[in-house]
Amino acid sequence: MSTTNVHVAPTSTQLDTIFQRQREAFRLKPYPSLSERKAHLKALCRLLLENGQAIAAAIDADFGHRSSHETQVLEVFPALQAAKHARWHLGRWMRPERKHVSVLFQPGRARVVKQPLGVVGIIVPWNYPLYLAVGPLISALAAGNRAMIKMSEMTPRFAELFEKLIGSYFAQDYVAVVNGGVDVAQAFAAKPFDHLLFTGSTAVGHSVMRSAAENLTPVTLELGGKSPAIVAPDFPVDVAARRIIWGKCLNAGQTCIAPDYVLVPEGKEQEFIDTARDEVQRLYPAGAASADYSAIINARHYARLKGYLKDAQAKGAKSALLAEGESETSRKLPPALVTGVTDAMQIMQDEIFGPLLPIVPYRSIDDALAYVGKRPRPLAMYYFDYDRARIRRILNDSIAGGVTINDTVLHIAQDNLPFGGVGPSGMGQYHGEEGFNLFSKRKGVFLQSRFNGLRLFKPPFGRQIETILKWLLR
Ligand code: NAD
């Protein structure tokens, strides 16, 4: 794909034209059949299978460096898997659900029928631009909707490629990609979609929800935050350190559910650091210069991350670099652990979204829980323990969008689990059947039977209703 083409952002009128076309097409065909929906999901699978290399190359170019393997493993494969999962289960998801009817209304029958909402808007961030566009799109298409997708201006090459690909696999009145800067994103969020799913920062989430409120458009906000990892007192620290640092180094820490900081039993910090360093050498033998290690997306984010280290060091923290290979020109930032952190440091206030990992020592598991509980509710939480009762307690006494026990990140890859944040890390959830339901109107339908006893409840009221009421209001 040529990257020299200058992309022209759609004007507000063009956005509106696409939106109106989709809406009108939906009005004319409001309930795509199972086979039509499966055909759309199949087209999406073909798009992924036939263009994996081009997709990886475009994302690599946008990042300055991202391994094609990482893109295939973390974006193309999970997107394909999610599309296949939806194809396999869609028939069951679409089936009306029978509901119990109270004896008073029998022999009437109750059903929930699932209906497409109409035109869905999807706003995509830059960190996993394929997976976070295709994931919501799968849910929207499975539920029978049409969709408009706004890609991030920070991944322009991939955005342009994706716009072309969607244009060649889908009619524009079914799925359309629109690209452009923040002005386009704002105009997009202001469209009266039937549902708007936004993935991005908590700060922008506020603005998206305000725009949607003008139209009473329901929103799903997939936001970020500081996701903690807790290592239980008697859990092998080396096992935890290897799994945590692996999850942290994916995409150089630019992952919404990357462990943001780790709570380690007091006295075990050094063991954690030593094992993490050993694991990083194993995963990335040439350190940050390794071909498998991603670059930081742009100079602003590189400077932001370096700024966290500088601020923390100035306020008394120590950092332990886990590898060599730092390069400002290619924006390669090696993973680093930070000890001696306090709440006064920026690194403990903002979502890090990069390969820096603060280590916070704790004395008792109660202290660790309290530390997490006093902070904004995170998108993800990781807990390392083999004690079932303690695991249960941690799950009950902490609130987070999703949890992986004894590893990191993997809950996102489970098609049967809901995915989404809570409080400042998001609202609503999708993936698999949850995503199908999110983009469906679950319409309650009562079917009255030919013969029924409702006449007993209708005027003129007399002694009969009084007897019935005596029984009902007891
Ligand atoms: P961002 O909020 O800066 O941008 C996300 C998208 O919103 C972009 O497409 C952008 O064009 C658009 N946008 C910007 N301003 C807008 C406005 N005023 N109105 C409407 N849209 C607007 O986020 P980002 O930097 O691309 O992504 C990083 C953030 O996303 C992190 O906080 C990360 O945790 C979060 N994230 C969350 C998930 C999740 O699934 N919960 C996944 C990935 C990333």
Side-chain angles (χ1 to χ4, degrees):
M1 189 195 71
S2 161
T3 53
T4 51
N5 291 348
V6 179
H7 178 268
V8 183
T11 61
S12 181
T13 328
Q14 284 163 330
L15 259 185
D16 203 48
T17 306
I18 301 172
F19 177 73
Q20 293 304 342
R21 273 199 202 129
Q22 290 207 353
R23 185 155 259 195
E24 181 58 9
F26 178 79
R27 192 184 64 76
L28 295 172
K29 197 166 186 353
Y31 193 86
S33 67
L34 173 61
S35 61
E36 284 166 325
R37 297 185 200 193
K38 280 190 172 175
H40 288 129
L41 292 169
K42 205 160 187 182
L44 208 47
C45 290
R46 278 208 330 275
L47 183 157
L48 294 169
L49 288 169
E50 290 165 6
N51 301 282
Q53 292 301 331
I55 288 169
I59 295 177
D60 177 28
D62 280 331
F63 271 76
H65 179 76
R66 203 222 257 170
S67 133
S68 160
H69 289 114
E70 191 164 67
T71 299
Q72 305 276 353
V73 172
L74 299 182
E75 300 215 61
V76 182
F77 165 67
L80 185 66
Q81 200 54 26
K84 287 182 179 170
H85 177 84
R87 268 166 58 201
W88 291 328
H89 298 284
L90 189 53
R92 181 174 59 76
W93 298 346
M94 285 174 70
R95 224 171 282 150
E97 284 167 30
R98 236 185 239 215
K99 296 289 175 186
H100 176 74
V101 175
S102 145
V103 68
L104 293 172
F105 299 102
Q106 285 180 14
R109 284 171 296 158
R111 298 271 186 280
V112 174
V113 298
K114 297 121 182 215
Q115 195 166 28
L117 293 172
V119 181
V120 160
I122 296 167
I123 302 181
V124 186
W126 54 264
N127 63 329
Y128 290 97
L130 173 78
Y131 181 59
L132 296 171
V134 170
L137 180 60
I138 290 165
S139 299
L141 291 177
N145 298 278
R146 286 159 197 260
M148 288 174 68
I149 306 172
K150 159 69 180 73
M151 304 300 290
S152 169
E153 61 283 2
M154 307 244 269
T155 49
R157 293 171 191 85
F158 175 68
E160 197 183 328
L161 172 68
F162 194 60
E163 184 178 342
K164 280 189 189 157
L165 291 178
I166 287 288
S168 50
Y169 287 79
F170 291 91
Q172 199 194 39
D173 69 2
Y174 219 98
V175 184
V177 173
V178 292
N179 286 318
V182 171
D183 51 333
V184 175
Q186 283 168 333
F188 188 91
K191 287 273 155 282
F193 289 112
D194 297 293
H195 194 105
L196 180 60
L197 185 144
F198 167 81
T199 307
S201 60
T202 302
V204 175
H206 282 94
S207 151
V208 167
M209 194 162 168
R210 260 194 301 273
S211 301
E214 285 297 315
N215 304 308
L216 290 184
T217 291
V219 287
T220 298
L221 301 178
E222 297 286 339
L223 310 175
K226 292 182 82 63
S227 299
I230 306 176
V231 185
D234 47 5
F235 190 89
V237 172
D238 58 328
V239 175
R242 287 186 197 282
R243 295 177 186 180
I244 291 170
I245 207 67
W246 164 75
K248 183 68 175 180
C249 289
L250 297 171
N251 202 20
Q254 301 163 107
T255 304
C256 57
I257 51 169
D260 190 277
Y261 62 94
V262 54
L263 288 148
V264 174
E266 207 171 51
K268 297 198 176 171
E269 300 94 314
Q270 195 54 46
E271 190 184 350
F272 189 97
I273 294 170
D274 293 342
T275 320
R277 181 174 285 117
D278 184 64
E279 186 67 5
V280 167
Q281 309 286 336
R282 216 170 58 80
L283 298 171
Y284 308 101
S290 293
D292 295 332
Y293 191 74
S294 288
I296 301 302
I297 186 76
N298 59 29
R300 180 168 66 80
H301 279 285
Y302 190 87
R304 178 181 64 81
L305 292 162
K306 292 289 288 184
Y308 288 157
L309 280 180
K310 215 167 145 194
D311 173 73
Q313 281 156 352
K315 290 171 183 161
K318 288 206 163 44
S319 70
L321 211 60
L322 299 183
E324 297 299 318
E326 177 165 352
S327 159
E328 190 170 350
T329 41
S330 44
R331 297 191 306 278
K332 287 289 199 100
L333 190 62
L337 300 176
V338 187
T339 52
V341 291
T342 67
D343 288 352
M345 301 170 183
Q346 276 170 14
I347 200 167
M348 291 313 291
Q349 294 165 4
D350 301 348
E351 176 184 6
I352 296 172
F353 221 55
L356 314 176
L357 182 68
I359 300 180
V360 180
Y362 73 82
R363 288 218 168 115
S364 72
I365 206 75
D366 286 334
D367 291 347
L369 255 182
Y371 189 92
V372 172
K374 283 181 191 157
R375 286 168 167 71
R377 292 169 173 182
L379 178 59
M381 184 166 145
Y382 304 108
Y383 183 58
F384 292 80
D385 201 345
Y386 293 132
D387 182 302
R388 285 203 188 178
R390 241 175 4 208
I391 292 173
R392 224 177 7 252
R393 185 185 158 214
I394 293 282
L395 287 176
N396 290 341
D397 292 357
S398 64
I399 301 187
V403 177
T404 294
I405 303 286
N406 295 340
D407 216 319
T408 54
V409 170
L410 298 174
H411 61 283
I412 197 175
Q414 313 307 315
D415 291 314
N416 290 308
L417 288 183
F419 181 81
V422 52
S425 60
M427 65 175 71
Q429 43 219 0
Y430 72 119
H431 284 195
E433 191 171 7
E434 296 272 350
F436 172 87
N437 285 334
L438 177 76
F439 290 122
S440 298
K441 167 62 193 163
R442 288 170 55 81
K443 187 159 70 177
V445 178
F446 180 72
L447 283 86
Q448 182 60 291
S449 67
R450 189 184 299 237
F451 305 105
N452 60 74
L454 211 67
R455 217 164 42 78
L456 298 175
F457 295 87
K458 292 179 180 170
F461 295 123
R463 288 188 46 195
Q464 195 177 32
I465 191 73
E466 280 180 14
T467 314
I468 295 174
L469 281 173
K470 250 188 215 151
W471 181 67
L472 287 179
L473 303 177
R474 71 199 186 280

